[in-house]
Amino acid sequence: IGACGDVTNSAKHTTMHLTINIGLGRSWNLIWTPYEGRNILTYTILRGTQKTQLQWLAEVSSNVTSYTHNNAPQADSLFYAIEFNVS
């Protein structure tokens, strides 16, 4: 029930969880739970050496929930994030 006593029909929204593990060579495996609550078109994968300066790495279809970053740069720290793009 909304603030004015009206019934709301809000969609269920879920938190996305991203898991990252090291792969072979200089690769990193990213696995995330799908987002629920909106019609997702694609997921955008971002990467950077600082969490405040992430850059576009790749884009995958909405039915894909994993990505392997091959030949990742050698750095003291790498940060990743997943964004979803809606229709």
Side-chain angles (χ1 to χ4, degrees):
I1 298 179
C4 297
D6 57 325
V7 176
T8 59
N9 291 323
S10 61
K12 174 184 173 186
H13 294 275
T14 60
T15 301
M16 292 174 58
H17 296 277
L18 173 61
T19 301
I20 303 171
N21 59 58
I22 194 162
L24 298 175
R26 291 183 9 225
S27 67
W28 292 95
N29 301 310
L30 286 66
I31 304 154
W32 61 92
T33 56
Y35 180 78
E36 293 180 24
R38 299 287 303 266
N39 184 25
I40 307 299
L41 295 176
T42 59
Y43 291 104
T44 299
I45 301 157
L46 305 166
R47 176 201 43 99
T49 55
Q50 297 179 13
K51 63 182 172 183
T52 57
Q53 296 180 344
L54 300 177
Q55 297 179 348
W56 185 92
L57 176 62
E59 189 169 279
V60 296
S61 176
S62 63
N63 64 336
V64 174
T65 56
S66 65
Y67 179 81
T68 299
H69 182 197
N70 292 310
N71 298 315
Q74 292 183 340
D76 290 336
S77 298
L78 285 176
F79 297 88
Y80 290 93
I82 306 296
E83 292 181 342
F84 58 84
N85 306 300
V86 298
S87 58

